[in-house]
Amino acid sequence: MSSDTDLHLIQSELCEGILTIRINRPEKKNALNLAMYRALSEGLRLAGDNDAVRVVVIAGTDGCFTSGNDLADFMAVPPTGGDSPVMTFLQAISTFRKPIVAAVTGSAVGVGVTMLLHCDLVYAVADAVFQLPFVNLGLCPEAGSTLLFPRLMGHQRAAELLLLGEPFSAEQACRVGLVNEVCPAGELVALVGRKALQLAARPAAAVRLTKELLKRDFAAELENTIAVEGEYFIARLESPEAAEALQAFMEKRKPDFNRFS
Ligand code: COA
């Protein structure tokens, strides 16, 4: 559950035209609660409006990018519609006009992976582990990922990641086109900093226009897919399978789906 004390869980720092937004809740593997989604959306809104911001970097903490949506929130305060904090964040990141660079450390799970589809450059440490466990949780994919994953890597590879929901390596993420480059853990900050500075030095209007053109042919379809997936996702959260999966996570046991047809 979110509270006012959650405000420090998203930290922002502007330096040389680069706004770094850091997800900072390591004790919960940077799981995103409602306040954090709101802070991320607000951070992007302010970054979009501020001419001093030329590039946004999204990062986690040492050993974790984000473990995705807070599963306790899914049980206590599930999203109910298009104006929920998670949907607002997805709208904000998927339509953000300036370049976004992601720095992936450690675990990237659920929306921690699907948000990468809306970043422009993605760098990961060699021991980062990615996972899309939506089906395992009785849910369905979100963030436009049922459109963007097959587009990026083809149906079979997307189906393998989304239907089996097994962890996959940074090297595999690079092979399927989700990640630009993999580096040793100690080199990520320098690599991301270098790329972000390069982007910040380019003519900003040309960068924005190129990003817009790169996404132009699927922008409307993406918006629609995010909305449709969101409706199914919200409905699935009320399913008995999801209830069992979430309860099992809380009780630190394996879920038992045998009684569901
Ligand atoms: N929501 C809420 N709490 C979470 C969380 C999440 N998404 N991910 C981790 N946590 C909590 C754990 O419950 C645990 O809390 P506790 O110390 O109070 O028991 C703490 O963070 C540490 O997690 P733990 O599972 O012990 O760390 P790990 O290093 O063994 O595993 C993950 C890390 C990310 C692989 C594992 O925590 C995980 O799979 N989390 C769930 C991811 C998920 O399903 N996300 C939703 C996708 S839609």
Side-chain angles (χ1 to χ4, degrees), residues 25-32 63-64 66-74 107-112 129 131-134 137 139-140 142 233 246 249-250 252:
R25 194 190 181 197
E27 70 284 3
K28 290 290 177 188
K29 298 287 168 184
N30 293 342
L32 297 170
C64 193
T66 164
S67 61
N69 204 106
D70 186 314
L71 292 175
D73 268 13
F74 268 161
S107 300
V109 187
V111 74
V129 178
Q131 190 178 7
L132 294 155
F134 302 110
L137 291 167
L139 303 171
C140 67
E142 36 79 299
F233 195 101
L246 295 173
F249 179 79
M250 296 306 154
K252 298 187 188 291

Coordinates of all heavy atoms in Angstrom, one line a residue, residues 25-32 63-64 66-74 107-112 129 131-134 137 139-140 142 233 246 249-250 252, ligand 1:
R25 N 13.6 1.4 -4.0 CA 12.9 0.7 -3.0 C 13.6 -0.7 -2.8 O 12.9 -1.7 -3.0 CB 11.5 0.6 -3.3 CG 10.6 0.2 -2.2 CD 9.2 -0.1 -2.7 NE 8.2 -0.5 -1.7 CZ 7.1 -1.1 -1.9 NH1 6.7 -1.5 -3.1 NH2 6.3 -1.5 -0.9
P26 N 14.9 -0.7 -2.6 CA 15.6 -2.0 -2.7 C 15.1 -3.1 -1.7 O 15.2 -4.2 -2.1 CB 17.0 -1.6 -2.3 CG 17.0 -0.2 -1.7 CD 15.8 0.4 -2.2
E27 N 14.5 -2.7 -0.6 CA 14.1 -3.7 0.3 C 12.9 -4.5 -0.2 O 12.6 -5.6 0.2 CB 13.7 -3.1 1.7 CG 12.5 -2.2 1.8 CD 12.7 -0.8 1.2 OE1 13.8 -0.5 0.7 OE2 11.7 0.0 1.2
K28 N 12.2 -4.0 -1.2 CA 11.1 -4.7 -1.9 C 11.5 -4.9 -3.4 O 10.6 -5.0 -4.2 CB 9.8 -3.9 -1.8 CG 9.2 -3.9 -0.4 CD 8.7 -5.3 0.0 CE 8.2 -5.3 1.5 NZ 7.8 -6.6 1.9
K29 N 12.8 -5.0 -3.6 CA 13.3 -5.2 -5.0 C 12.7 -4.2 -6.0 O 12.4 -4.5 -7.1 CB 12.9 -6.7 -5.5 CG 13.6 -7.8 -4.6 CD 15.1 -7.8 -4.9 CE 15.8 -8.7 -3.8 NZ 17.2 -8.7 -4.0
N30 N 12.6 -3.0 -5.5 CA 12.1 -1.9 -6.3 C 10.7 -2.1 -6.9 O 10.4 -1.6 -8.0 CB 13.1 -1.5 -7.4 CG 14.4 -0.9 -6.8 OD1 14.4 -0.5 -5.7 ND2 15.4 -0.9 -7.6
A31 N 9.9 -2.9 -6.2 CA 8.5 -3.1 -6.6 C 7.8 -1.7 -6.7 O 8.0 -0.9 -5.8 CB 7.8 -4.0 -5.7
L32 N 7.0 -1.5 -7.7 CA 6.3 -0.2 -7.9 C 5.0 -0.2 -7.3 O 4.1 -0.9 -7.7 CB 6.2 0.0 -9.4 CG 7.5 0.1 -10.2 CD1 7.3 0.2 -11.7 CD2 8.3 1.4 -9.8
G63 N 21.8 -4.2 -8.2 CA 21.2 -5.5 -8.0 C 19.8 -5.6 -8.4 O 19.2 -6.7 -8.4
C64 N 19.1 -4.5 -8.7 CA 17.7 -4.6 -9.1 C 17.3 -3.3 -9.9 O 17.5 -2.2 -9.5 CB 16.8 -4.7 -7.8 SG 15.1 -5.2 -8.3
T66 N 13.7 -3.2 -11.4 CA 12.4 -3.3 -10.7 C 11.8 -4.6 -10.8 O 11.8 -5.2 -11.9 CB 11.4 -2.2 -11.0 OG1 10.1 -2.5 -10.5 CG2 11.3 -2.0 -12.5
S67 N 11.2 -5.1 -9.7 CA 10.5 -6.4 -9.7 C 9.1 -6.2 -10.2 O 8.2 -7.1 -10.0 CB 10.5 -7.0 -8.3 OG 9.9 -6.2 -7.4
G68 N 8.8 -5.1 -10.8 CA 7.5 -4.9 -11.4 C 6.4 -4.3 -10.4 O 6.8 -3.8 -9.3
N69 N 5.2 -4.5 -10.7 CA 4.1 -4.0 -9.9 C 4.2 -4.6 -8.5 O 4.5 -5.8 -8.3 CB 2.8 -4.3 -10.5 CG 1.7 -3.4 -10.0 OD1 1.3 -2.5 -10.8 ND2 1.2 -3.5 -8.8
D70 N 3.9 -3.8 -7.5 CA 3.9 -4.3 -6.1 C 2.7 -5.3 -6.0 O 1.6 -5.0 -6.2 CB 3.6 -3.1 -5.1 CG 3.7 -3.6 -3.7 OD1 3.1 -4.6 -3.4 OD2 4.4 -2.9 -2.9
L71 N 3.1 -6.6 -5.7 CA 2.0 -7.6 -5.8 C 1.0 -7.5 -4.6 O -0.1 -7.9 -4.7 CB 2.7 -9.0 -5.7 CG 3.5 -9.3 -7.0 CD1 4.2 -10.7 -6.9 CD2 2.6 -9.4 -8.3
A72 N 1.5 -6.8 -3.5 CA 0.6 -6.6 -2.4 C -0.5 -5.5 -2.8 O -1.7 -5.6 -2.5 CB 1.3 -6.1 -1.2
D73 N 0.0 -4.6 -3.6 CA -1.0 -3.6 -4.2 C -2.0 -4.2 -5.1 O -3.1 -3.8 -5.1 CB -0.2 -2.5 -4.9 CG 0.2 -1.3 -4.1 OD1 0.1 -1.4 -2.8 OD2 0.6 -0.2 -4.6
F74 N -1.5 -5.2 -5.9 CA -2.5 -5.9 -6.8 C -3.6 -6.5 -6.0 O -4.8 -6.5 -6.5 CB -1.8 -7.0 -7.6 CG -1.2 -6.6 -8.9 CD1 -0.2 -7.4 -9.5 CD2 -1.6 -5.4 -9.5 CE1 0.3 -7.0 -10.7 CE2 -1.1 -5.1 -10.8 CZ -0.1 -5.9 -11.4
S107 N 17.4 -7.7 -11.3 CA 16.1 -8.2 -11.7 C 15.3 -7.1 -12.5 O 15.2 -6.0 -12.0 CB 15.3 -8.6 -10.5 OG 15.9 -9.7 -9.9
A108 N 14.7 -7.5 -13.6 CA 13.7 -6.7 -14.3 C 12.6 -7.6 -14.5 O 12.7 -8.6 -15.3 CB 14.3 -6.1 -15.6
V109 N 11.4 -7.4 -13.9 CA 10.3 -8.3 -13.9 C 9.0 -7.5 -14.3 O 8.8 -6.4 -13.9 CB 10.1 -9.0 -12.5 CG1 9.0 -10.1 -12.7 CG2 11.4 -9.6 -12.0
G110 N 8.2 -8.2 -15.1 CA 6.9 -7.6 -15.4 C 7.0 -6.3 -16.1 O 7.7 -6.1 -17.1
V111 N 6.4 -5.3 -15.5 CA 6.5 -3.9 -16.1 C 7.9 -3.4 -16.1 O 8.2 -2.5 -16.9 CB 5.5 -2.9 -15.4 CG1 6.0 -2.5 -14.0 CG2 5.2 -1.7 -16.2
G112 N 8.8 -4.0 -15.3 CA 10.2 -3.7 -15.3 C 10.8 -4.1 -16.7 O 11.9 -3.6 -17.1
V129 N 18.7 -10.2 -14.9 CA 17.7 -11.3 -15.2 C 16.4 -10.7 -15.5 O 15.9 -9.9 -14.7 CB 17.6 -12.3 -14.0 CG1 16.6 -13.4 -14.3 CG2 19.0 -12.9 -13.7
Q131 N 12.2 -11.2 -16.7 CA 11.1 -12.2 -16.6 C 9.8 -11.5 -16.8 O 9.6 -10.4 -16.4 CB 11.1 -12.8 -15.2 CG 10.2 -14.0 -15.2 CD 10.2 -14.8 -13.8 OE1 10.8 -14.3 -12.9 NE2 9.5 -15.9 -13.8
L132 N 9.0 -12.2 -17.6 CA 7.6 -11.7 -17.9 C 6.6 -12.7 -17.3 O 6.1 -13.6 -18.1 CB 7.5 -11.6 -19.4 CG 8.4 -10.5 -20.0 CD1 8.7 -10.8 -21.5 CD2 7.7 -9.1 -19.9
P133 N 6.3 -12.7 -16.0 CA 5.6 -13.8 -15.4 C 4.1 -13.6 -15.4 O 3.4 -14.1 -14.5 CB 6.1 -13.7 -14.0 CG 6.4 -12.3 -13.7 CD 6.7 -11.7 -15.1
F134 N 3.5 -12.8 -16.4 CA 2.1 -12.4 -16.3 C 1.2 -13.7 -16.3 O 0.3 -13.8 -15.5 CB 1.7 -11.6 -17.5 CG 2.5 -10.3 -17.6 CD1 3.5 -10.0 -18.6 CD2 2.3 -9.3 -16.6 CE1 4.2 -8.9 -18.6 CE2 3.1 -8.1 -16.6 CZ 4.0 -7.9 -17.6
L137 N 1.1 -15.6 -13.2 CA 0.3 -15.0 -12.1 C -1.2 -15.0 -12.5 O -2.0 -14.4 -11.8 CB 0.8 -13.5 -12.0 CG 2.2 -13.3 -11.4 CD1 2.7 -11.9 -11.6 CD2 2.2 -13.7 -9.9
L139 N -2.4 -13.7 -15.0 CA -2.7 -12.4 -15.6 C -2.5 -12.4 -17.2 O -2.3 -13.5 -17.7 CB -1.9 -11.3 -15.0 CG -2.0 -11.2 -13.5 CD1 -1.0 -10.2 -12.9 CD2 -3.5 -10.7 -13.1
C140 N -2.4 -11.3 -17.8 CA -2.1 -11.2 -19.2 C -1.1 -10.1 -19.4 O -0.9 -9.2 -18.5 CB -3.3 -11.0 -20.1 SG -4.1 -9.4 -19.9
E142 N 0.9 -6.6 -20.5 CA 0.4 -5.2 -20.5 C 1.4 -4.3 -21.2 O 2.4 -4.8 -21.8 CB 0.1 -4.7 -19.1 CG 1.1 -5.3 -18.0 CD 2.4 -4.6 -17.9 OE1 3.2 -4.6 -18.9 OE2 2.8 -4.1 -16.9
F233 N -6.4 -7.1 -18.3 CA -5.5 -7.3 -17.1 C -6.3 -7.0 -15.8 O -6.3 -7.8 -14.9 CB -4.4 -6.3 -17.2 CG -3.2 -6.5 -16.3 CD1 -2.1 -7.1 -16.7 CD2 -3.3 -6.1 -14.9 CE1 -1.0 -7.3 -15.9 CE2 -2.2 -6.3 -14.1 CZ -1.1 -6.9 -14.5
L246 N -1.2 -14.7 -6.4 CA -0.8 -13.6 -5.5 C -0.7 -14.1 -4.1 O 0.2 -13.8 -3.3 CB -1.8 -12.5 -5.7 CG -1.8 -11.8 -7.1 CD1 -2.9 -10.8 -7.2 CD2 -0.5 -11.2 -7.4
F249 N 2.4 -16.1 -3.6 CA 3.6 -15.2 -3.5 C 3.7 -14.7 -2.1 O 4.8 -14.7 -1.5 CB 3.5 -14.1 -4.5 CG 4.7 -13.1 -4.4 CD1 5.9 -13.5 -5.0 CD2 4.6 -11.9 -3.7 CE1 7.0 -12.6 -4.9 CE2 5.7 -11.1 -3.6 CZ 6.9 -11.4 -4.2
M250 N 2.6 -14.2 -1.5 CA 2.6 -13.7 -0.1 C 3.0 -14.8 0.9 O 3.7 -14.5 1.8 CB 1.2 -13.1 0.2 CG 0.8 -11.9 -0.6 SD 2.1 -10.7 -0.6 CE 1.7 -9.8 -2.1
K252 N 4.9 -17.3 0.2 CA 6.2 -17.8 -0.2 C 6.1 -19.3 -0.5 O 6.8 -20.1 0.0 CB 7.2 -17.5 0.9 CG 7.5 -16.0 1.1 CD 8.7 -15.8 2.0 CE 8.8 -14.3 2.4 NZ 9.2 -13.4 1.3
Ligands
COA1 N1 5.8 -6.9 -5.1 C1 5.8 -6.9 -3.7 N2 6.9 -7.3 -3.0 C2 7.9 -7.8 -3.7 C3 7.9 -7.9 -5.1 C4 6.8 -7.4 -5.8 N3 6.7 -7.4 -7.1 N4 9.1 -8.4 -5.5 C5 9.8 -8.7 -4.4 N5 9.1 -8.3 -3.3 C6 9.5 -8.4 -1.9 C7 9.5 -9.8 -1.4 O1 8.1 -10.1 -1.0 C8 10.4 -9.7 -0.2 O2 9.8 -9.1 0.8 P1 10.1 -9.5 2.4 O3 11.5 -9.3 2.6 O4 9.2 -8.6 3.2 O5 9.6 -11.0 2.4 C9 11.5 -8.7 -0.8 O6 10.9 -8.0 -1.8 C10 12.7 -9.4 -1.4 O7 12.2 -10.3 -2.4 P2 12.8 -11.8 -2.6 O8 11.8 -12.5 -3.4 O9 13.2 -12.3 -1.3 O10 14.1 -11.5 -3.4 P3 14.8 -12.5 -4.5 O11 16.1 -11.8 -4.8 O12 14.9 -13.9 -3.9 O13 13.9 -12.5 -5.8 C11 12.6 -11.4 -7.5 C12 13.8 -11.3 -6.5 C13 12.3 -10.1 -8.1 C14 13.0 -12.5 -8.6 C15 11.4 -12.0 -6.7 O14 11.2 -11.2 -5.6 C16 10.1 -12.0 -7.5 O15 9.9 -12.8 -8.4 N6 9.2 -11.0 -7.2 C17 7.9 -10.9 -7.9 C18 8.0 -10.4 -9.2 C19 6.6 -10.3 -9.9 O16 5.9 -11.2 -10.0 N7 6.3 -9.0 -10.3 C20 5.0 -8.7 -10.8 C21 5.0 -8.9 -12.3 S1 3.4 -8.5 -13.0

